Amino acid sequence: QVQLVESGGGLVQAGGSLRLSCATSVRTFTNYAMGWFRQAPGKEREFVAAITWSSYSTYYADSVKGRFTVSRDNAKNTVYLQMNSLKPEDTAVYYCAARLRPAEVKIRIAQYDYWGQGTQVTVSS
């Protein structure tokens, strides 16, 4: 059974930084492309960032481009989301997701096969 566990969320002031981690229990991490999504209160879950198995390709939502960086460590079966210059509108539960097509970055929820439980990020103004 595939498990994804996010960590690193918390409360931060606007302009600050956080680094989210997502540890996975998959047998072969390189079989998966990885994504980050978020869901703010009263809103739908939305795409944030994605990365292919080799880190060759990454893709970001326009709202986070230039502020967030997605990366992965295949030796540790872990994907990261470095978030800088945080804004109050970044407040949300952040989820990582795994997709069994490792060479493609995708942005739709239905294109991912496994999901974590989420970690809360709160940015105060």
Side-chain angles (χ1 to χ4, degrees):
Q1 184 175 353
V2 174
Q3 289 187 319
L4 309 179
V5 180
E6 302 95 337
S7 62
L11 174 64
V12 64
Q13 288 189 331
S17 297
L18 282 175
R19 187 195 195 202
L20 304 184
S21 299
C22 173
T24 75
S25 67
V26 298
R27 180 174 297 180
T28 308
F29 189 52
T30 51
N31 282 350
Y32 297 83
M34 300 297 295
W36 286 97
F37 290 75
R38 67 186 181 186
Q39 188 166 16
K43 295 187 177 182
E44 294 186 350
R45 193 171 299 189
E46 64 176 6
F47 170 78
V48 175
I51 187 168
T52 54
W53 74 274
S54 65
S55 304
Y56 181 79
S57 293
T58 58
Y59 190 75
Y60 298 91
D62 288 342
S63 58
V64 307
K65 202 172 295 182
R67 300 187 298 122
F68 291 11
T69 302
V70 60
S71 62
R72 63 191 291 163
D73 185 336
N74 289 339
K76 295 183 178 179
N77 285 11
T78 300
V79 63
Y80 305 97
L81 186 68
Q82 178 67 44
M83 305 186 296
N84 299 329
S85 302
L86 282 161
K87 304 175 182 180
E89 51 263 43
D90 294 318
T91 295
V93 177
Y94 283 71
Y95 299 89
C96 71
R99 170 179 163 81
L100 262 170
R101 294 288 294 271
E104 302 173 340
V105 288
K106 296 294 183 182
I107 67 171
R108 295 204 305 239
I109 293 171
Q111 293 170 318
Y112 286 81
D113 302 289
Y114 303 100
W115 290 84
Q117 293 300 306
T119 185
Q120 176 71 47
V121 171
T122 303
V123 185
S124 63
S125 56

